[in-house]
């Protein structure tokens, strides 16, 4: 694990092994032009030729290491490309995060212990005030350091690579950037906490084990935590939650985690996360190739926990209630069947056409629960809900469905700044009839001729939100397997943690 600090010393006065230079395309240093020249003077007079020879032009993704001798010690000069600086869509900020990610990976690979990175000195580099920029850099560095190695005997027994990452913020030291650093550490660590939960397999992370994680958060950060057991759900007739869990030997847990529960006169935001610890499909069993990877089906709940971990530490002036139904979707003699009709907490009925469309069933009760007991101003739910979302948007954008433009615009904007990006799909009335049923109020799958399974699923959910402003996030594509993003790497990505926490942190400020 890295330790990240802001260095007080001048760039070259840091006695470290690695010196990092961020360069724009065309080999322009974003800072310290003079120090770039110092490399030419002290180490490599023909530096630009060397870089060109190695095809380093400062394109995004470029990274080149040159070894030199400084004060009789070997040092590594690390050049990293940022590509063209272009403020459109915050690409340059995302490129910077990825450059930071590649640096961290390189430091680990070459076991370069302590390293200083030279950051831009101008007032609003990359469109952010500098403290906010530091925050983004710290988050990316911490995320890049994540690996799921718990079960890799050789790696877990190694001491692991440790080093210091020093951020050099320029000659003008008038600001401390302590807040950006501290908040970045909180957010980065919480995102990795979520990724670890999503990466844990279902034989370790049962609904009970996941509920325990929520209880631990409550203990650590002084949150309220309530866990409804099966019998409590029966009393409330939460038929969706009960039906999905009925096939499994692992008891379901309906977890409610609250921040600022005792504060009055502040807005309430409900965060609802799908927590299916394993999705076999149930009686509508998934073909085995499609079942692999379904340990990740609790990524929505895990994202909500990660966001709560951040919220509890950074303390925005809002009341946040996290509602996470935790179940395992398994086939058995007790499992819910196709053709079954179930009744939810809000009294509505649904015909089960496919037991693999289980996420919406547990979310239905969770959304109803949020409205019934908390009357929130805003509800955001997050779920690995539909395979169709992977086809529609792939791995880089979370599907956003809402009929509230204000919330939608805010989520999109927060997505671009944090790199936890979302893209809207139309929740148009035309899709509404796709979930009609002959025998119940609604059916749990969209009629085949409507296609657009991601959107029809959101219309199912809409039946359970009557009063609140509401947005639905489908992270089926973004929660894991994101290709080619240095700071995300393999496995779970923590999709939604940065997005939800930032949305909540900004909420009562922007109004
Ligand atoms: N957890 C899955 C969604 C999923 C599938 C995510 C593949 C990532 C990859 C969800 O519970 C599911 O099985 N959805 C079905 C719905 C269908 C039966 C209407 C799907 O998408 O196939
Ligand atoms: Mg399913
Ligand atoms: Zn599922």
């Amino acid at each position: 694990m890295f330790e990240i600090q802001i260095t007080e010393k001048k760039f070259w006065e840091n006695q470290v092994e690695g010196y990092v230079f961020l360069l724009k395309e065309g080999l322009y240093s974003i800072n310290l032009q003079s120090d770039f020249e110092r490399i030419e003077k002290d180490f490599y007079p023909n530096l630009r030729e060397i870089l060109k020879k190695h095809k380093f032009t400062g394109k995004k993704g470029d990274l080149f290491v040159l070894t030199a001798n400084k004060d009789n010690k070997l040092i590594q000069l690390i050049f990293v490309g940022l590509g063209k600086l272009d403020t459109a869509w915050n690409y340059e900020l995302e490129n910077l995060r990825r450059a930071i990610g590649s640096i961290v990976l390189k430091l680990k690979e070459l076991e370069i212990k302590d390293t200083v990175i030279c950051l831009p000195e101008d007032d609003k580099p990359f469109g952010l005030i500098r403290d906010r920029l530091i925050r983004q850099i710290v988050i990316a560095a911490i995320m890049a350091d994540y690996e799921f190695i718990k079960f890799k005997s050789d790696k877990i027994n190694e001491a692991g690579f440790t080093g210091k990452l020093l951020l050099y913020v320029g000659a003008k030291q008038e600001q401390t950037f302590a807040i950006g650093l501290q908040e970045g550490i909180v957010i980065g660590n919480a995102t990795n906490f979520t990724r670890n939960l999503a990466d844990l397999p279902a034989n370790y992370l049962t609904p009970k084990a996941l509920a325990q994680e929520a209880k631990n958060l409550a203990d650590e950060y002084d949150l309220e935590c309530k866990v409804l057991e099966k019998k409590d759900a029966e009393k409330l007739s939460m038929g969706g939650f009960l039906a999905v869990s009925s096939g499994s030997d692992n008891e379901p847990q309906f977890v409610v985690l609250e921040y600022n529960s005792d504060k009055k006169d502040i807005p309430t935001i409900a965060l609802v996360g799908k927590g299916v610890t394993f999705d076999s499909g149930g009686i509508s069993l998934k073909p085995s190739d499609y079942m692999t990877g379904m340990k990740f089906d609790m990524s929505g709940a895990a994202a909500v926990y990660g966001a709560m971990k951040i919220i509890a530490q950074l303390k925005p002036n809002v009341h946040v209630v996290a509602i996470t139904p935790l179940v395992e979707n398994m086939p058995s003699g007790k499992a819910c069947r196709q053709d079954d009709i179930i009744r939810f907490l809000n009294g509505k009925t649904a015909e089960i056409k496919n037991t693999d469309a289980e996420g919406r069933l547990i979310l239905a009760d969770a959304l109803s629960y949020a409205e019934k007991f908390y009357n929130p101003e805003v509800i955001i739910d997050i779920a690995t809900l539909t395979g169709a979302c992977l086809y529609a948007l792939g791995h880089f954008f979370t599907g956003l469905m809402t009929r509230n433009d204000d919330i939608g615009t805010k989520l999109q904007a927060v997505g671009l700044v944090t790199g936890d990006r979302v893209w809207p799909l139309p929740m148009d009335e035309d899709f509404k009839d796709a979930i009609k049923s002959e025998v119940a109020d609604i059916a749990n799958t969209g009629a085949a001729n409507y296609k657009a399974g991601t959107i029809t699923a959101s219309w199912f959910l809409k039946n359970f939100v009557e009063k609140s402003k509401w947005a639905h996030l489908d992270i089926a594509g973004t929660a894991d397997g994101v290709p080619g993003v240095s700071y995300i790497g393999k496995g779970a990505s923590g999709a939604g943690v940065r997005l939800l926490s930032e949305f909540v942190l900004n909420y009562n400020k922007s109004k």
Side-chain angles (χ1 to χ4, degrees):
M1 205 25 225
F2 283 98
E3 206 183 308
I4 307 180
Q5 292 168 6
I6 310 277
T7 177
E8 310 267 298
K9 296 198 183 116
K10 289 200 181 119
F11 186 68
W12 290 106
E13 281 170 14
N14 290 283
Q15 298 301 320
V16 291
E17 193 183 341
Y19 294 84
V20 179
F21 302 87
L22 299 168
L23 300 175
K24 291 182 270 189
E25 197 158 335
L27 299 186
Y28 299 106
S29 170
I30 60 162
N31 194 7
L32 285 191
Q33 192 62 30
S34 57
D35 280 314
F36 195 68
E37 280 156 16
R38 172 156 174 190
I39 304 175
E40 294 174 308
K41 190 165 119 290
D42 289 357
F43 306 112
Y44 289 101
N46 43 5
L47 175 65
R48 275 161 214 270
E49 267 175 79
I50 297 172
L51 291 176
K52 280 198 186 123
K53 184 70 208 164
H54 288 269
K55 308 273 185 222
F56 181 99
T57 59
K59 279 197 312 294
K60 74 171 180 181
D62 273 6
L63 192 147
F64 180 62
V65 184
L66 254 183
T67 304
N69 215 317
K70 179 175 178 267
D71 310 327
N72 285 325
K73 277 194 198 119
L74 278 193
I75 59 162
Q76 312 297 335
L77 305 169
I78 303 158
F79 302 91
V80 188
L82 290 173
K84 290 203 179 71
L85 288 197
D86 169 6
T87 48
W89 273 39
N90 289 50
Y91 271 136
E92 56 176 34
L93 186 54
E94 180 59 20
N95 290 347
L96 174 65
R97 273 188 288 264
R98 293 182 191 191
I100 298 293
S102 335
I103 294 165
V104 169
L105 297 182
K106 190 50 96 181
L107 298 181
K108 287 176 92 167
E109 181 199 325
L110 301 183
E111 301 191 4
I112 300 174
K113 289 271 172 194
D114 296 348
T115 297
V116 61
I117 304 185
C118 185
L119 298 178
E121 243 177 319
D122 33 329
D123 272 350
K124 261 190 134 187
F126 301 86
L128 287 180
I129 57 164
R130 291 216 291 161
D131 200 55
R132 288 276 153 163
L133 184 73
I134 303 277
R135 190 171 182 258
Q136 287 305 319
I137 288 169
V138 171
I139 296 169
I142 293 176
M143 284 181 71
D145 195 25
Y146 172 79
E147 276 179 288
F148 183 63
I149 51 168
K150 195 176 155 94
F151 299 97
K152 294 291 266 180
S153 312
D154 51 342
K155 291 203 177 170
I156 203 84
N157 293 328
E158 275 173 19
F161 176 67
T162 52
K164 255 195 210 117
L165 198 58
L166 302 175
L167 305 178
Y168 174 73
V169 292
K172 295 183 254 163
Q173 296 268 353
E174 74 284 8
Q175 256 180 294
T176 64
F177 305 108
I179 293 176
L181 177 68
Q182 184 242 335
E183 294 191 351
I185 291 172
V186 167
I187 297 167
N189 286 338
T191 308
N192 289 350
F193 162 79
T194 291
R195 296 165 80 187
N196 182 250
L197 293 179
D199 278 332
L200 279 170
N203 59 330
Y204 283 84
L205 200 78
T206 57
K208 273 239 162 79
L210 187 49
Q212 188 57 49
E213 294 288 341
K215 289 181 194 165
N216 295 348
L217 282 180
D219 288 346
E220 191 171 353
Y221 301 109
D222 206 18
L223 301 169
E224 278 302 306
C225 185
K226 183 166 64 190
V227 180
L228 308 192
E229 307 281 334
K230 186 177 169 207
K231 60 176 190 323
D232 306 309
E234 280 165 357
K235 274 186 211 139
L236 288 168
S237 65
M238 306 205 308
F241 175 71
L242 290 165
V244 178
S245 61
S246 61
S248 172
D249 286 344
N250 288 312
E251 286 274 306
Q253 304 270 283
F254 191 94
V255 179
V256 183
L257 192 61
E258 250 182 287
Y259 161 75
N260 263 348
S261 60
D262 47 356
K263 264 205 178 178
K264 300 275 173 294
D265 304 322
I266 47 172
T268 299
I269 300 176
L271 302 178
V272 174
K274 170 177 173 181
V276 176
T277 56
F278 189 72
D279 182 13
S280 69
I283 293 295
S284 320
L285 197 65
K286 284 182 188 291
S288 102
D289 283 353
Y290 290 85
M291 204 186 292
T292 304
M294 283 302 146
K295 65 171 184 177
F296 96 136
D297 215 18
M298 34 53 71
S299 297
V304 166
Y305 295 157
M308 290 303 275
K309 192 173 159 83
I310 296 165
I311 290 162
Q313 292 173 85
L314 304 188
K315 304 193 188 317
N317 191 29
V318 278
H319 169 214
V320 189
V321 53
I323 301 173
T324 51
L326 311 179
V327 299
E328 184 179 46
N329 187 22
M330 296 291 269
S332 86
K334 294 202 179 66
C336 135
R337 316 157 191 80
Q338 290 174 197
D339 297 346
D340 280 3
I341 296 173
I342 59 176
R343 187 183 294 278
F344 298 95
L345 172 65
N346 76 345
K348 286 194 184 170
T349 58
E351 174 193 1
I352 305 302
K353 288 197 160 170
N354 191 319
T355 66
D356 197 11
E358 84 297 340
R360 64 198 74 184
L361 303 178
I362 63 170
L363 290 175
D365 277 329
L367 293 166
S368 303
Y369 189 93
E371 286 223 317
K372 180 168 179 170
F373 296 106
Y374 293 93
N375 197 23
E377 196 166 293
V378 178
I379 304 180
I380 302 177
D381 77 76
I382 179 162
T384 47
L385 204 63
T386 64
C389 194
L390 256 165
Y391 290 89
L393 293 173
H395 287 289
F396 304 118
F397 288 83
T398 291
L400 162 68
M401 280 139 279
T402 182
R403 290 171 66 84
N404 185 293
D405 288 342
D406 178 41
I407 303 290
T409 312
K410 279 184 180 143
L411 284 168
Q412 256 192 298
V414 163
L416 287 179
V417 175
T418 57
D420 198 354
R421 298 176 294 176
V422 300
W423 199 255
L425 293 174
M427 253 200 93
D428 192 272
E429 298 264 355
D430 281 345
F431 297 97
K432 195 176 173 179
D433 289 345
I435 52 161
K436 271 190 174 166
S437 164
E438 297 277 318
V439 292
D441 297 337
I442 44 176
N444 85 324
T445 62
N449 60 325
Y450 279 78
K451 307 287 194 289
T454 308
I455 302 173
T456 56
S458 74
W459 273 102
F460 183 93
L461 299 178
K462 192 171 184 310
N463 275 278
F464 303 90
V465 186
E466 266 151 30
K467 300 171 280 181
S468 316
K469 298 176 193 169
W470 166 65
H472 160 59
L473 299 168
D474 194 329
I475 53 169
T478 46
D480 77 353
V482 181
V485 179
S486 61
Y487 70 90
I488 294 180
K490 295 197 190 85
S493 66
V497 177
R498 290 173 289 157
L499 179 76
L500 291 174
S501 57
E502 200 70 15
F503 176 86
V504 170
L505 293 173
N506 292 341
Y507 190 76
N508 212 6
K509 283 190 200 156
S510 56
K511 283 210 323 172

